Amino acid sequence: MKIAVVGATGLVGSLMLKVLEERGFAQEEILVAASVKSVGKKIKFSNRELIVQSVEEVIEQECDYAIFSAGGATSKKYAPLFAAKGTIVIDNSSAWRMQENIPLVVPEINASAIKPEDKIISNPNCSTIQMVLALSLLHKTYQIKRIVVSTYQSVTGTGVKAVRQLDCERANQECEKVYPHQIFENILPHGGDFLENGYTTEEEKLVKETRKIFNDQSIAVSATVARVPVKGGHSESVNVEFVKPFELKDVYKLLEETKGVVVADKPSENLYPMPLYCEGKDEVFVGRIRRDESVENGLNLWIVADNLRKGAATNAIQILEYLSRK
Ligand code: A2P
């Protein structure tokens, strides 16, 4: 197999290479692309060195798959050019996610949405992936009516420059700012760009992507996204109302049975999911499992995952695994 990673010098792109190595793709032919300024750079992969090429050069080499994490504009421009060469694109940006004929996939939930003729497949937003995976079996069993989610998102979700901003501010050094305010010792109730209705693009993704992945436009979602000075992963307070009644013990059981989910919930031992301990792991961690006593069939969960892993690189490589098995 010939696999291209576009955006290979970025936070997600470099982790995609690591996950490819971890999940048995080390022997395949791997091509790496990034922006013009990185062309010629060397990247270590398994026991060899890969040389960064321009996206145009890589397109010409007719790869079987191209995995993108280089921002929406790059995906919009280049994904169709790869597709025209017969390459299947797995795209981590938001460029194609809401397009009707493009599947938006969390393999444990809706791999079957991928049709044989699909050439571009979208990887959902990191905050959406961890939430829908944790809720997937519960939704199947009790049917979600409404979700109220508040996120506490890691700076790694914004990319290399955001991590640098946090580190520089902590060290009291001058550097380029990607956030409109200091992030060190602060919380920004702001992810992405503001929309006319007062919500942000990151909040809109949680609403629309959840409905698309579950293939259910009736699910009501209300989201608030906050960026916190944390690197290890995204945390989410998730309040769910179900159509059907549930027993808490069955909720625990269903969460434990959900593939890719780990229940970490022992209040007596102060055990609950935290980004510090989820970093570097592929699973989605769920704790603080409580009945919402203020509403009928309500449930509260605290969901944490490494946004660069299951929220991005791991999910994309799982899509690749699914496609290559087919
Ligand atoms: P480069 O390192 O050359 O700028 P992150 O999200 O961590 O900031 O990473 C973004 C990734 O997308 C990097 O690999 C970056 O390459 C790549 N990238 C940005 N703009 C382009 C572009 N116009 N064409 C190809 N790759 C790009």
Side-chain angles (χ1 to χ4, degrees):
M1 252 192 298
K2 216 186 222 187
I3 304 166
V5 175
V6 180
T9 52
L11 277 187
V12 174
S14 48
L15 190 57
M16 281 170 166
L17 289 169
K18 191 164 176 224
V19 177
L20 279 170
E21 223 181 304
E22 287 171 3
R23 297 178 84 105
F25 292 90
Q27 302 314 316
E28 310 298 342
E29 187 178 345
I30 309 289
L31 288 81
V32 286
S35 79
V36 179
K37 75 172 199 293
S38 301
V39 170
K41 268 191 191 167
K42 290 181 183 142
I43 296 181
K44 208 180 155 315
F45 176 78
S46 186
N47 54 1
R48 57 195 199 264
E49 260 181 356
L50 307 174
I51 313 270
V52 176
Q53 304 181 61
S54 71
V55 186
E56 286 86 355
E57 278 176 293
V58 173
I59 290 170
E60 291 309 315
Q61 292 167 70
E62 300 185 355
C63 298
D64 299 294
Y65 300 99
I67 317 170
F68 270 65
S69 193
T74 308
S75 296
K76 266 259 160 336
K77 181 172 173 190
Y78 293 113
L81 303 182
F82 272 98
K85 290 272 178 193
T87 303
I88 296 180
V89 174
I90 301 166
D91 181 36
N92 190 49
S93 82
S94 57
W96 305 98
R97 287 183 193 146
M98 292 319 299
Q99 196 144 312
E100 210 178 312
N101 53 351
I102 297 210
L104 181 65
V105 174
V106 179
E108 295 90 336
I109 303 175
N110 65 336
S112 59
I114 303 174
K115 299 179 294 302
E117 65 273 22
D118 286 329
K119 283 279 174 274
I120 301 176
I121 292 141
S122 267
N123 209 44
N125 172 251
C126 40
S127 308
T128 311
I129 293 179
Q130 67 185 69
M131 183 174 82
V132 294
L133 185 62
L135 294 178
S136 54
L137 263 191
L138 298 177
H139 176 52
K140 231 182 190 170
T141 315
Y142 306 116
Q143 202 187 332
I144 296 169
K145 185 168 150 195
R146 179 170 186 249
I147 301 170
V148 180
V149 50
S150 301
T151 72
Y152 306 68
Q153 295 186 199
S154 153
V155 293
T156 56
T158 319
V160 173
K161 287 181 183 163
V163 176
R164 215 175 288 141
Q165 177 177 341
L166 173 60
D167 288 341
C168 286
E169 287 171 353
R170 185 184 289 118
N172 209 11
Q173 291 166 353
E174 278 300 311
C175 74
E176 187 189 344
K177 306 262 187 212
V178 290
Y179 297 122
H181 300 279
Q182 175 178 318
I183 183 70
F184 176 57
E185 290 189 330
N186 202 8
I187 296 177
L188 312 187
H190 177 182
D193 302 319
F194 280 99
L195 300 164
E196 267 189 12
N197 63 3
Y199 286 86
T200 65
T201 46
E202 288 284 298
E203 290 161 351
E204 189 186 45
K205 288 173 193 171
L206 273 155
V207 178
K208 294 190 169 168
E209 294 182 19
T210 298
R211 292 180 182 150
K212 180 163 176 176
I213 295 162
F214 284 143
N215 192 24
D216 186 345
Q217 293 302 315
S218 75
I219 298 175
V221 184
S222 181
T224 300
V225 163
R227 191 72 62 183
V228 294
V230 160
K231 288 185 193 170
H234 290 355
S235 305
E236 297 176 339
S237 163
V238 178
N239 176 267
V240 200
E241 269 180 80
F242 294 105
V243 173
K244 297 179 192 161
F246 61 83
E247 293 298 329
L248 260 191
K249 64 170 181 18
D250 298 327
V251 165
Y252 275 94
K253 197 162 164 274
L254 287 166
L255 286 168
E256 272 159 0
E257 284 168 7
T258 309
K259 206 163 169 264
V261 167
V262 173
V263 174
D265 192 23
K266 280 206 186 101
S268 61
E269 295 171 22
N270 298 328
L271 181 79
Y272 28 72
M274 289 184 282
L276 200 58
Y277 301 113
C278 299
E279 185 169 9
K281 304 204 171 105
D282 285 320
E283 295 87 357
V284 171
F285 295 82
V286 184
R288 304 296 323 280
I289 303 164
R290 292 150 290 155
R291 184 179 290 281
D292 176 355
E293 290 165 353
S294 72
V295 73
E296 207 183 6
N297 307 331
L299 181 74
N300 280 309
L301 303 171
W302 178 252
I303 302 172
V304 184
D306 184 332
N307 53 297
L308 297 180
R309 285 231 162 213
K310 183 57 185 165
T314 303
N315 198 71
I317 307 304
Q318 286 173 322
I319 294 173
L320 172 69
E321 285 173 347
Y322 174 82
L323 293 168
S324 57
R325 266 201 310 271
K326 287 214 126 191

